[in-house]
Amino acid sequence: MSFVAGLLVNYAMSTFWVFRTSKVKSRLAEFLAFAAIGVVGLLLAIAITKVFAWMMADQLSELCAKWERK
């Protein structure tokens, strides 16, 4: 829900301040391309977060094991 709201606000602000003119004739096609890029970015962020969480979990379990041995 918050991603969609942020996407809409970001698109509105981008079209108002940054990209006042567009080569794309259809606003819907332009928005769908904008949304697709946003979704790819979201999925990439989720994947990177999962990988780092998995890596940190292994390191944390090793650290806890060393702590228990002392």
Side-chain angles (χ1 to χ4, degrees):
M1 189 72 124
S2 61
F3 174 77
V4 174
L7 185 68
L8 292 172
V9 170
N10 195 7
Y11 176 75
M13 292 173 66
S14 293
T15 57
F16 183 74
W17 278 299
V18 181
F19 304 109
R20 293 186 182 189
T21 59
S22 176
K23 295 177 183 177
V24 180
K25 293 181 181 179
S26 171
R27 285 280 200 193
L28 179 61
E30 184 179 59
F31 175 74
L32 291 177
F34 189 87
I37 292 169
V39 169
V40 169
L42 175 66
L43 294 175
L44 187 60
I46 290 170
I48 290 170
T49 302
K50 293 283 184 182
V51 167
F52 278 107
W54 174 71
M55 290 170 48
M56 293 303 291
D58 287 345
Q59 290 180 356
L60 184 60
S61 65
E62 289 176 13
L63 184 64
C64 289
K66 287 179 184 178
W67 185 268
E68 288 177 356
R69 286 185 217 144
K70 289 184 178 185

